[in-house]
Structure formats: structure tokens, C-alpha cells
């Protein structure tokens, strides 16, 4: 099984979790293990990421939740693509809020991984997601560009 560190190479240029040297637009999120099937990260909402005035853009919130689920798998040595993502926005999140993002593996069947993720402010869940992740056939995810 690949280690989490080795799996992180597949995200070396990621807009969410790479370091600033590799991608200056990265949110530079750092996930840590909470339990065997769970990871978490903290993030302070930057005004660059607003949609409606002073509200966190829902696309960014969705992206954070997707990243939490992705890292939950990476931490288990699994590199899989998002095949389906369902997001429910319960409460607006404000610019400046400190949010906690958690991702959790729920089940795994025939190569399809079902995960859930939450984005909370002061322990109140504001946004929730579920996702299905699939390892592509042959296991190769990255692509070479022709230009
Ligand atoms: C400024 C504002 C910014 C805003 C910003 C907004 C962003 C707001 C959104 C954020 C979103 C973030 C998302 C980031 C996460 C990535 O960036 S990951 C990259 C994005 N994802 C992709 O590119 C995946 C593209 N899809 C694929 O590559 C392929 O479809 C997959 C998922 C690898 C599956 O391919 P495959 O292995 O060839 O699978 P296939 O033969 O079709 O199916 C295999 C089996 O899985 C089953 N299956 C396939 N799909 C599904 C499914 N969805 N459910 C259940 N079963 C399925 C099939 O039925 C099949 O079952 P069996 O017939 O074997 O029983």
C-alpha cells in the first residue's frame, strides 16, 4: 500500500492542498488523520473566496469538502477520482470564519468508495457533502499534456 506522503505526489500542483511554491493559487490546506477513516483540516475564509458579498462561495465550499474526502482516501493509500458529488448548504459561511473540514470513509464496494464530509463553524455543521470515488481502470490518474 502507498503511504499518504507518496499519494500526495499525485496532488503536487493541486489548487487546494499543494504548497504555495508549486501553485501560488493553492489554498494550502493541510489534512491530518483524526481516526483510521477520518481526516480534518482548518481553514480561515479569505475574502478572495466570496460569492455573495461576505459569504463563502458555494463552489469553494464544495471544493473543500471534495478535498477532505479525497484526502481521506489518499491517507489510506487510495488514489481515486470524484465520480459523483452531492452538496447540501445548510447555513451561510462568512468571510473571516474559521472552519473545520472533515472527511470520512463510509463504505467501499466493488471499487466504489462512498464518503461524506462536513464543513463546520464553531462545531455547527454549515455544509455537508457525500461523494462517490472510483479508481480509474489501470490505476493511472495523471495525464501527460501534448502541448
Ligand atoms: C471561482 C469559483 C470556483 C467554483 C468551483 C466549483 C467547484 C464545485 C465542485 C467541486 C468539485 C470538485 C471535484 C474535484 C475532484 C477532482 O478534480 S477529480 C477529477 C474530476 N473527476 C473526473 O475527472 C472523473 C471523470 N470520470 C472518470 O474518469 C470515469 O468516469 C471514472 C469515474 C474513473 C469511472 O470510469 P471507469 O472506471 O471507466 O468506470 P465505468 O466502467 O464507467 O464504471 C465502472 C463501474 O462504476 C460504476 N459507476 C461509474 N460511475 C458511477 C457513479 N457516479 N455512481 C455509481 N456507480 C458508478 C459503473 O456503473 C460501473 O459499474 P459496473 O458496471 O462495474 O457494475
Amino acid at each position: 500500500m502507498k503511504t499518504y506522503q507518496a499519494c500526495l505526489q499525485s496532488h503536487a500542483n493541486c489548487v487546494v492542498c499543494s504548497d504555495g511554491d508549486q501553485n501560488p493559487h493553492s489554498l494550502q490546506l493541510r489534512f491530518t488523520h483524526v481516526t483510521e477513516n477520518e481526516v480534518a483540516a482548518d481553514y480561515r475564509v479569505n475574502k478572495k473566496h466570496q460569492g455573495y458579498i461576505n459569504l463563502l462561495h458555494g463552489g469553494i465550499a464544495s471544493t473543500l469538502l471534495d478535498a477532505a474526502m479525497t484526502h481521506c482516501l489518499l491517507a489510506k493509500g487510495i488514489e481515486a477520482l470524484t465520480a459523483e458529488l452531492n452538496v447540501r448548504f445548510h447555513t451561510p459561511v462568512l468571510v473571516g470564519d474559521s472552519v473545520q473540514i472533515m472527511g470520512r470513509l463510509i463504505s467501499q464496494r466493488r471499487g466504489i468508495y462512498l464518503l461524506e464530509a462536513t464543513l463546520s463553524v464553531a462545531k455547527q455543521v454549515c455544509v455537508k457533502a457525500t461523494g462517490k470515488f472510483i479508481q480509474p481502470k489501470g490505476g493511472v490518474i495523471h495525464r501527460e499534456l501534448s502541448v
Side-chain angles (χ1 to χ4, degrees), residues 77-138:
I78 301 158
E79 292 169 341
L81 293 170
T82 312
E84 202 172 301
L85 183 65
N86 185 284
V87 185
R88 177 137 182 215
F89 301 92
H90 293 279
T91 311
V93 178
L94 304 183
V95 167
D97 277 347
S98 287
V99 307
Q100 188 184 46
I101 304 134
M102 298 197 72
R104 194 172 303 117
L105 177 62
I106 302 299
S107 65
Q108 149 183 5
R109 200 164 71 91
R110 297 175 64 226
I112 301 176
Y113 299 88
L114 178 63
L115 290 100
E116 66 179 18
T118 53
L119 187 158
S120 309
V121 177
K123 300 200 160 104
Q124 186 196 357
V125 174
C126 300
V127 192
K128 259 189 208 168
T130 55
K132 283 182 190 165
F133 292 74
I134 299 181
Q135 284 172 307
K137 292 187 177 86

Side-chain angles (χ1 to χ4, degrees), residues 33-38 72 75-76:
H33 279 88
V34 179
T35 66
E36 189 194 342
N37 288 325
E38 210 168 20
C72 197
K76 297 176 82 63

Side-chain angles (χ1 to χ4, degrees), residues 42-53:
D42 297 317
Y43 164 73
R44 185 177 285 273
V45 178
N46 188 302
K47 64 181 180 187
K48 282 191 283 191
H49 301 138
Q50 62 189 298
Y52 277 94
I53 290 173

